[in-house]
Amino acid sequence: ELTKIVPFFIVLLVNKNIKEPIDYIYFACVCALGFAFIENLIYFDTSGIKTIQGRALTSTVTHLFTSSLVAYGIVIGKFSHKRNVVLYFVLFFALGALCHGFYDFWLISLAVHNFSFITFFWLLISMNIWASIINNCLNNSFASRLNWKYDPEKINDILLFGLSFIFLLQY
């Protein structure tokens, strides 16, 4: 998790235009996508096309989710409580690492290889939580705009059905 967050902190230091909660999620996701891309290239080089099909979707979404969790901790500390940003960062960083570890355990561990389907269910749950994070940050970012409201059910449906369609199309 730290490898994905260090570039995010560099972006925070360099870019002074990050002002809204959604900006934090956006840049954390961009850093996570870069990390996932490089990691997928490594897996593609060592495992071939068989592994990359699943990783291209599931691991990328997991990296987006866990990085968004860490950024969301910063958002809560900075915008909601306006104190203890470091404490919220540490708590949400640990939560992101725990979520990533839970995902990896059910996917990689040979002791529970018959239960690897739990990874798929965890992916669906994390997408739902991720949509809520995005919803909260969008609503708080654009709260001053007149009559603008984000529809969380619509993004949940798009993520769930769109990614399910991609899975079905692949197999």
Side-chain angles (χ1 to χ4, degrees):
E1 291 304 309
L2 189 61
T3 307
K4 292 184 293 188
I5 295 305
V6 168
F8 173 64
F9 280 127
I10 293 170
V11 168
L12 290 178
L13 289 173
V14 173
N15 191 343
K16 300 300 178 193
N17 293 325
I18 300 175
K19 298 176 184 168
E20 302 286 341
I22 195 63
D23 295 339
Y24 288 83
I25 303 302
Y26 173 78
F27 284 106
C29 285
V30 168
C31 293
L33 283 174
F35 179 86
F37 175 74
I38 297 301
E39 187 180 66
N40 285 341
L41 284 178
I42 293 168
Y43 276 98
F44 181 70
D45 185 46
T46 58
S47 301
I49 195 74
K50 180 180 175 185
T51 301
I52 201 68
Q53 287 177 334
R55 285 197 55 80
L57 183 62
T58 60
S59 69
T60 302
V61 171
T62 300
H63 286 301
L64 290 170
F65 168 66
T66 56
S67 293
S68 293
L69 271 178
V70 177
Y72 192 58
I74 295 170
V75 166
I76 290 173
K78 185 171 182 174
F79 293 99
S80 179
H81 296 285
K82 299 187 189 231
R83 62 183 189 281
N84 294 330
V85 177
V86 174
L87 175 65
Y88 281 98
F89 163 73
V90 170
L91 288 174
F92 278 76
F93 179 83
L95 182 62
L98 183 68
C99 289
H100 197 150
F102 183 83
Y103 168 84
D104 283 344
F105 173 75
W106 294 104
L107 184 67
I108 297 171
S109 177
L110 295 176
V112 293
H113 74 279
N114 290 334
F115 299 103
S116 63
F117 64 90
I118 291 175
T119 297
F120 178 73
F121 290 116
W122 176 245
L123 180 69
L124 295 178
I125 292 167
S126 64
M127 286 187 328
N128 198 353
I129 295 168
W130 187 40
S132 297
I133 289 171
I134 293 169
N135 175 38
N136 190 20
C137 289
L138 279 172
N139 284 333
N140 286 303
S141 293
F142 301 114
S144 62
R145 296 189 183 178
L146 297 175
N147 298 328
W148 189 89
K149 208 61 171 159
Y150 180 71
D151 184 8
E153 291 178 12
K154 185 176 180 181
I155 192 65
N156 281 343
D157 291 345
I158 290 171
L159 283 172
L160 178 64
F161 294 119
L163 294 173
S164 297
F165 175 75
I166 291 171
F167 270 133
L168 290 173
L169 188 65
Q170 278 186 335
Y171 296 104

